[in-house]
Amino acid sequence: MGISEKVAYLKGLAEGLSLDESTKEGKLLLAILDVLDDMAEEFADIEDEIVDLEDGLDAVSDDLNDVEEFLYETSDDEDEEDEEDDDEYFVTTCPECEEEVIFDESVLEDGEVVCPNCGAKLEFDLSDLANATGTDEEDED
Ligand SMILES: [Zn+2]
């Protein structure tokens, strides 16, 4: 039973009692029933409004999903392109001037790296380099 049905039931009971409106008790009970009646109507109105609001929210939510899909599809493509530029590189220390020397894979094919600081040629045994790989600290002094 909803609230309005319960109030209607109470009103029926009150009528069955044939409340005397000239007595204080009768006036009070009838006034209470009136208030309950008003409250039941208000609740029904509020429920209707909530249903409307929910419909409105659903519509907004659907629209937002469309916008999100559109945005993420676009930005995903851009991210992938950025990550493809991420070449592997190596860091070592020049034995002459002790500066850090950064070079990438392509230099390894020549087997030597020229120190950009002092110009010394750094020659490597490729097996030694295994220890220096995987360093991705950025140090661009
Ligand atoms: Zn050097």
Side-chain angles (χ1 to χ4, degrees), residues 53-84:
L53 276 176
E54 279 172 356
D55 288 349
L57 266 180
D58 282 349
V60 170
S61 178
D62 286 349
D63 288 350
L64 256 182
N65 277 337
D66 291 346
V67 172
E68 275 173 16
E69 269 171 36
F70 176 76
L71 283 178
Y72 288 142
E73 271 171 27
T74 312
S75 62
D76 274 354
D77 292 345
E78 283 169 9
D79 285 351
E80 278 168 26
E81 278 170 27
D82 284 349
E83 280 167 23
E84 277 167 18

mmCIF file of all heavy atoms in Angstrom, residues 53-84:
data_model
loop_
_atom_site.group_PDB
_atom_site.id
_atom_site.type_symbol
_atom_site.label_atom_id
_atom_site.label_comp_id
_atom_site.label_asym_id
_atom_site.label_seq_id
_atom_site.Cartn_x
_atom_site.Cartn_y
_atom_site.Cartn_z
ATOM 1 N N LEU A 53 13.469 13.882 -13.538
ATOM 2 C CA LEU A 53 14.897 14.181 -13.380
ATOM 3 C C LEU A 53 15.755 13.000 -13.828
ATOM 4 O O LEU A 53 16.777 13.173 -14.487
ATOM 5 C CB LEU A 53 15.220 14.502 -11.921
ATOM 6 C CG LEU A 53 14.986 15.929 -11.461
ATOM 7 C CD1 LEU A 53 15.252 16.040 -9.967
ATOM 8 C CD2 LEU A 53 15.888 16.884 -12.225
ATOM 9 N N GLU A 54 15.332 11.784 -13.434
ATOM 10 C CA GLU A 54 16.099 10.605 -13.827
ATOM 11 C C GLU A 54 16.154 10.466 -15.343
ATOM 12 O O GLU A 54 17.192 10.150 -15.908
ATOM 13 C CB GLU A 54 15.501 9.350 -13.194
ATOM 14 C CG GLU A 54 15.935 9.178 -11.751
ATOM 15 C CD GLU A 54 15.190 8.046 -11.049
ATOM 16 O OE1 GLU A 54 14.282 7.437 -11.663
ATOM 17 O OE2 GLU A 54 15.504 7.779 -9.877
ATOM 18 N N ASP A 55 14.988 10.716 -16.001
ATOM 19 C CA ASP A 55 14.978 10.651 -17.461
ATOM 20 C C ASP A 55 15.960 11.660 -18.041
ATOM 21 O O ASP A 55 16.721 11.355 -18.969
ATOM 22 C CB ASP A 55 13.568 10.932 -17.994
ATOM 23 C CG ASP A 55 12.628 9.761 -17.718
ATOM 24 O OD1 ASP A 55 13.126 8.689 -17.315
ATOM 25 O OD2 ASP A 55 11.407 9.923 -17.900
ATOM 26 N N GLY A 56 15.941 12.871 -17.460
ATOM 27 C CA GLY A 56 16.842 13.918 -17.942
ATOM 28 C C GLY A 56 18.297 13.518 -17.762
ATOM 29 O O GLY A 56 19.118 13.683 -18.660
ATOM 30 N N LEU A 57 18.607 12.953 -16.584
ATOM 31 C CA LEU A 57 19.984 12.532 -16.308
ATOM 32 C C LEU A 57 20.428 11.429 -17.270
ATOM 33 O O LEU A 57 21.565 11.432 -17.733
ATOM 34 C CB LEU A 57 20.096 12.024 -14.877
ATOM 35 C CG LEU A 57 20.545 13.030 -13.834
ATOM 36 C CD1 LEU A 57 20.594 12.371 -12.459
ATOM 37 C CD2 LEU A 57 21.914 13.589 -14.190
ATOM 38 N N ASP A 58 19.518 10.483 -17.537
ATOM 39 C CA ASP A 58 19.867 9.417 -18.474
ATOM 40 C C ASP A 58 20.252 9.998 -19.825
ATOM 41 O O ASP A 58 21.227 9.573 -20.446
ATOM 42 C CB ASP A 58 18.683 8.453 -18.647
ATOM 43 C CG ASP A 58 18.578 7.486 -17.465
ATOM 44 O OD1 ASP A 58 19.528 7.438 -16.660
ATOM 45 O OD2 ASP A 58 17.551 6.799 -17.361
ATOM 46 N N ALA A 59 19.465 10.981 -20.270
ATOM 47 C CA ALA A 59 19.745 11.583 -21.573
ATOM 48 C C ALA A 59 21.109 12.270 -21.563
ATOM 49 O O ALA A 59 21.901 12.103 -22.491
ATOM 50 C CB ALA A 59 18.645 12.587 -21.931
ATOM 51 N N VAL A 60 21.395 13.018 -20.474
ATOM 52 C CA VAL A 60 22.688 13.706 -20.378
ATOM 53 C C VAL A 60 23.819 12.677 -20.351
ATOM 54 O O VAL A 60 24.855 12.841 -20.989
ATOM 55 C CB VAL A 60 22.735 14.590 -19.118
ATOM 56 C CG1 VAL A 60 24.148 15.107 -18.888
ATOM 57 C CG2 VAL A 60 21.771 15.756 -19.249
ATOM 58 N N SER A 61 23.616 11.595 -19.575
ATOM 59 C CA SER A 61 24.635 10.564 -19.455
ATOM 60 C C SER A 61 24.929 9.919 -20.815
ATOM 61 O O SER A 61 26.086 9.682 -21.156
ATOM 62 C CB SER A 61 24.164 9.522 -18.454
ATOM 63 O OG SER A 61 25.088 8.490 -18.341
ATOM 64 N N ASP A 62 23.866 9.639 -21.589
ATOM 65 C CA ASP A 62 24.075 9.064 -22.917
ATOM 66 C C ASP A 62 24.890 10.004 -23.797
ATOM 67 O O ASP A 62 25.835 9.586 -24.481
ATOM 68 C CB ASP A 62 22.718 8.779 -23.581
ATOM 69 C CG ASP A 62 22.045 7.558 -22.965
ATOM 70 O OD1 ASP A 62 22.720 6.839 -22.189
ATOM 71 O OD2 ASP A 62 20.858 7.331 -23.258
ATOM 72 N N ASP A 63 24.516 11.304 -23.745
ATOM 73 C CA ASP A 63 25.248 12.280 -24.559
ATOM 74 C C ASP A 63 26.712 12.323 -24.159
ATOM 75 O O ASP A 63 27.607 12.371 -25.007
ATOM 76 C CB ASP A 63 24.634 13.678 -24.390
ATOM 77 C CG ASP A 63 23.287 13.777 -25.088
ATOM 78 O OD1 ASP A 63 22.953 12.834 -25.847
ATOM 79 O OD2 ASP A 63 22.584 14.782 -24.887
ATOM 80 N N LEU A 64 26.978 12.283 -22.830
ATOM 81 C CA LEU A 64 28.365 12.328 -22.347
ATOM 82 C C LEU A 64 29.156 11.121 -22.847
ATOM 83 O O LEU A 64 30.317 11.239 -23.218
ATOM 84 C CB LEU A 64 28.376 12.328 -20.825
ATOM 85 C CG LEU A 64 28.670 13.655 -20.147
ATOM 86 C CD1 LEU A 64 28.694 13.470 -18.642
ATOM 87 C CD2 LEU A 64 29.994 14.224 -20.618
ATOM 88 N N ASN A 65 28.503 9.950 -22.855
ATOM 89 C CA ASN A 65 29.189 8.765 -23.358
ATOM 90 C C ASN A 65 29.623 8.961 -24.807
ATOM 91 O O ASN A 65 30.736 8.597 -25.186
ATOM 92 C CB ASN A 65 28.270 7.539 -23.271
ATOM 93 C CG ASN A 65 28.290 6.927 -21.883
ATOM 94 O OD1 ASN A 65 29.237 7.117 -21.127
ATOM 95 N ND2 ASN A 65 27.243 6.195 -21.544
ATOM 96 N N ASP A 66 28.711 9.545 -25.599
ATOM 97 C CA ASP A 66 29.058 9.803 -26.996
ATOM 98 C C ASP A 66 30.281 10.707 -27.090
ATOM 99 O O ASP A 66 31.214 10.452 -27.854
ATOM 100 C CB ASP A 66 27.878 10.466 -27.722
ATOM 101 C CG ASP A 66 26.724 9.486 -27.886
ATOM 102 O OD1 ASP A 66 26.942 8.268 -27.692
ATOM 103 O OD2 ASP A 66 25.613 9.943 -28.222
ATOM 104 N N VAL A 67 30.273 11.780 -26.249
ATOM 105 C CA VAL A 67 31.392 12.730 -26.281
ATOM 106 C C VAL A 67 32.685 12.032 -25.861
ATOM 107 O O VAL A 67 33.727 12.193 -26.481
ATOM 108 C CB VAL A 67 31.106 13.931 -25.351
ATOM 109 C CG1 VAL A 67 32.341 14.816 -25.239
ATOM 110 C CG2 VAL A 67 29.921 14.736 -25.860
ATOM 111 N N GLU A 68 32.606 11.218 -24.778
ATOM 112 C CA GLU A 68 33.803 10.510 -24.312
ATOM 113 C C GLU A 68 34.355 9.582 -25.391
ATOM 114 O O GLU A 68 35.552 9.570 -25.658
ATOM 115 C CB GLU A 68 33.474 9.687 -23.068
ATOM 116 C CG GLU A 68 33.572 10.492 -21.787
ATOM 117 C CD GLU A 68 33.066 9.695 -20.589
ATOM 118 O OE1 GLU A 68 32.927 8.461 -20.690
ATOM 119 O OE2 GLU A 68 32.802 10.331 -19.546
ATOM 120 N N GLU A 69 33.461 8.813 -26.023
ATOM 121 C CA GLU A 69 33.924 7.908 -27.069
ATOM 122 C C GLU A 69 34.650 8.675 -28.156
ATOM 123 O O GLU A 69 35.721 8.288 -28.611
ATOM 124 C CB GLU A 69 32.737 7.155 -27.672
ATOM 125 C CG GLU A 69 32.456 5.850 -26.961
ATOM 126 C CD GLU A 69 31.156 5.237 -27.437
ATOM 127 O OE1 GLU A 69 30.841 5.351 -28.641
ATOM 128 O OE2 GLU A 69 30.425 4.662 -26.603
ATOM 129 N N PHE A 70 34.035 9.802 -28.557
ATOM 130 C CA PHE A 70 34.631 10.604 -29.616
ATOM 131 C C PHE A 70 36.022 11.099 -29.208
ATOM 132 O O PHE A 70 36.997 10.968 -29.955
ATOM 133 C CB PHE A 70 33.716 11.783 -29.936
ATOM 134 C CG PHE A 70 34.271 12.736 -30.944
ATOM 135 C CD1 PHE A 70 34.276 12.406 -32.301
ATOM 136 C CD2 PHE A 70 34.779 13.954 -30.544
ATOM 137 C CE1 PHE A 70 34.800 13.282 -33.228
ATOM 138 C CE2 PHE A 70 35.304 14.841 -31.475
ATOM 139 C CZ PHE A 70 35.316 14.504 -32.826
ATOM 140 N N LEU A 71 36.115 11.635 -27.973
ATOM 141 C CA LEU A 71 37.388 12.198 -27.500
ATOM 142 C C LEU A 71 38.462 11.129 -27.376
ATOM 143 O O LEU A 71 39.593 11.313 -27.802
ATOM 144 C CB LEU A 71 37.196 12.878 -26.145
ATOM 145 C CG LEU A 71 36.527 14.243 -26.158
ATOM 146 C CD1 LEU A 71 36.373 14.756 -24.728
ATOM 147 C CD2 LEU A 71 37.335 15.231 -26.982
ATOM 148 N N TYR A 72 38.118 9.979 -26.758
ATOM 149 C CA TYR A 72 39.131 8.962 -26.525
ATOM 150 C C TYR A 72 39.606 8.352 -27.826
ATOM 151 O O TYR A 72 40.782 8.074 -27.985
ATOM 152 C CB TYR A 72 38.600 7.887 -25.561
ATOM 153 C CG TYR A 72 38.504 8.405 -24.154
ATOM 154 C CD1 TYR A 72 37.457 8.043 -23.313
ATOM 155 C CD2 TYR A 72 39.474 9.283 -23.669
ATOM 156 C CE1 TYR A 72 37.372 8.541 -22.027
ATOM 157 C CE2 TYR A 72 39.394 9.780 -22.386
ATOM 158 C CZ TYR A 72 38.343 9.407 -21.563
ATOM 159 O OH TYR A 72 38.260 9.891 -20.293
ATOM 160 N N GLU A 73 38.705 8.134 -28.778
ATOM 161 C CA GLU A 73 39.128 7.594 -30.063
ATOM 162 C C GLU A 73 40.176 8.503 -30.676
ATOM 163 O O GLU A 73 41.205 8.053 -31.150
ATOM 164 C CB GLU A 73 37.924 7.492 -31.012
ATOM 165 C CG GLU A 73 37.200 6.170 -30.898
ATOM 166 C CD GLU A 73 35.900 6.194 -31.678
ATOM 167 O OE1 GLU A 73 35.812 6.946 -32.655
ATOM 168 O OE2 GLU A 73 34.962 5.482 -31.274
ATOM 169 N N THR A 74 39.932 9.812 -30.651
ATOM 170 C CA THR A 74 40.853 10.768 -31.269
ATOM 171 C C THR A 74 42.192 10.768 -30.567
ATOM 172 O O THR A 74 43.240 10.654 -31.192
ATOM 173 C CB THR A 74 40.251 12.187 -31.212
ATOM 174 O OG1 THR A 74 38.905 12.120 -31.660
ATOM 175 C CG2 THR A 74 41.030 13.130 -32.086
ATOM 176 N N SER A 75 42.193 10.862 -29.204
ATOM 177 C CA SER A 75 43.455 11.014 -28.498
ATOM 178 C C SER A 75 44.249 9.710 -28.475
ATOM 179 O O SER A 75 45.462 9.728 -28.409
ATOM 180 C CB SER A 75 43.217 11.521 -27.080
ATOM 181 O OG SER A 75 42.448 10.596 -26.369
ATOM 182 N N ASP A 76 43.591 8.554 -28.525
ATOM 183 C CA ASP A 76 44.306 7.289 -28.558
ATOM 184 C C ASP A 76 45.256 7.234 -29.745
ATOM 185 O O ASP A 76 46.406 6.827 -29.616
ATOM 186 C CB ASP A 76 43.313 6.114 -28.663
ATOM 187 C CG ASP A 76 42.808 5.689 -27.289
ATOM 188 O OD1 ASP A 76 43.326 6.241 -26.297
ATOM 189 O OD2 ASP A 76 41.926 4.839 -27.225
ATOM 190 N N ASP A 77 44.772 7.649 -30.906
ATOM 191 C CA ASP A 77 45.614 7.618 -32.099
ATOM 192 C C ASP A 77 46.863 8.452 -31.895
ATOM 193 O O ASP A 77 47.966 8.039 -32.220
ATOM 194 C CB ASP A 77 44.822 8.157 -33.310
ATOM 195 C CG ASP A 77 43.697 7.189 -33.677
ATOM 196 O OD1 ASP A 77 43.748 6.039 -33.190
ATOM 197 O OD2 ASP A 77 42.803 7.581 -34.431
ATOM 198 N N GLU A 78 46.696 9.642 -31.319
ATOM 199 C CA GLU A 78 47.845 10.535 -31.131
ATOM 200 C C GLU A 78 48.861 9.924 -30.179
ATOM 201 O O GLU A 78 50.052 10.001 -30.416
ATOM 202 C CB GLU A 78 47.376 11.892 -30.584
ATOM 203 C CG GLU A 78 46.762 12.757 -31.672
ATOM 204 C CD GLU A 78 46.063 13.976 -31.103
ATOM 205 O OE1 GLU A 78 46.213 14.224 -29.901
ATOM 206 O OE2 GLU A 78 45.337 14.644 -31.861
ATOM 207 N N ASP A 79 48.393 9.304 -29.082
ATOM 208 C CA ASP A 79 49.299 8.705 -28.117
ATOM 209 C C ASP A 79 50.159 7.629 -28.766
ATOM 210 O O ASP A 79 51.349 7.552 -28.525
ATOM 211 C CB ASP A 79 48.511 8.075 -26.963
ATOM 212 C CG ASP A 79 47.986 9.146 -26.026
ATOM 213 O OD1 ASP A 79 48.390 10.306 -26.191
ATOM 214 O OD2 ASP A 79 47.178 8.810 -25.147
ATOM 215 N N GLU A 80 49.545 6.787 -29.599
ATOM 216 C CA GLU A 80 50.291 5.713 -30.216
ATOM 217 C C GLU A 80 51.424 6.254 -31.072
ATOM 218 O O GLU A 80 52.533 5.746 -31.044
ATOM 219 C CB GLU A 80 49.362 4.842 -31.068
ATOM 220 C CG GLU A 80 48.615 3.809 -30.225
ATOM 221 C CD GLU A 80 47.493 3.154 -31.009
ATOM 222 O OE1 GLU A 80 47.578 3.100 -32.244
ATOM 223 O OE2 GLU A 80 46.518 2.710 -30.365
ATOM 224 N N GLU A 81 51.160 7.325 -31.806
ATOM 225 C CA GLU A 81 52.204 7.899 -32.655
ATOM 226 C C GLU A 81 53.367 8.401 -31.816
ATOM 227 O O GLU A 81 54.524 8.227 -32.165
ATOM 228 C CB GLU A 81 51.635 9.045 -33.497
ATOM 229 C CG GLU A 81 50.914 8.541 -34.740
ATOM 230 C CD GLU A 81 50.137 9.644 -35.436
ATOM 231 O OE1 GLU A 81 50.535 10.810 -35.295
ATOM 232 O OE2 GLU A 81 49.128 9.324 -36.068
ATOM 233 N N ASP A 82 53.058 9.032 -30.683
ATOM 234 C CA ASP A 82 54.110 9.566 -29.824
ATOM 235 C C ASP A 82 55.022 8.461 -29.318
ATOM 236 O O ASP A 82 56.237 8.622 -29.273
ATOM 237 C CB ASP A 82 53.504 10.285 -28.604
ATOM 238 C CG ASP A 82 52.958 11.647 -29.010
ATOM 239 O OD1 ASP A 82 53.255 12.070 -30.141
ATOM 240 O OD2 ASP A 82 52.251 12.253 -28.199
ATOM 241 N N GLU A 83 54.427 7.339 -28.922
ATOM 242 C CA GLU A 83 55.226 6.304 -28.292
ATOM 243 C C GLU A 83 56.152 5.588 -29.276
ATOM 244 O O GLU A 83 57.155 5.020 -28.885
ATOM 245 C CB GLU A 83 54.305 5.294 -27.595
ATOM 246 C CG GLU A 83 53.836 5.823 -26.247
ATOM 247 C CD GLU A 83 52.691 5.007 -25.678
ATOM 248 O OE1 GLU A 83 52.550 3.841 -26.064
ATOM 249 O OE2 GLU A 83 51.929 5.562 -24.856
ATOM 250 N N GLU A 84 55.844 5.634 -30.554
ATOM 251 C CA GLU A 84 56.681 4.953 -31.535
ATOM 252 C C GLU A 84 58.046 5.621 -31.679
ATOM 253 O O GLU A 84 58.993 5.019 -32.147
ATOM 254 C CB GLU A 84 55.969 4.904 -32.892
ATOM 255 C CG GLU A 84 54.979 3.743 -32.962
ATOM 256 C CD GLU A 84 54.053 3.861 -34.154
ATOM 257 O OE1 GLU A 84 54.378 4.605 -35.089
ATOM 258 O OE2 GLU A 84 52.985 3.224 -34.128
#
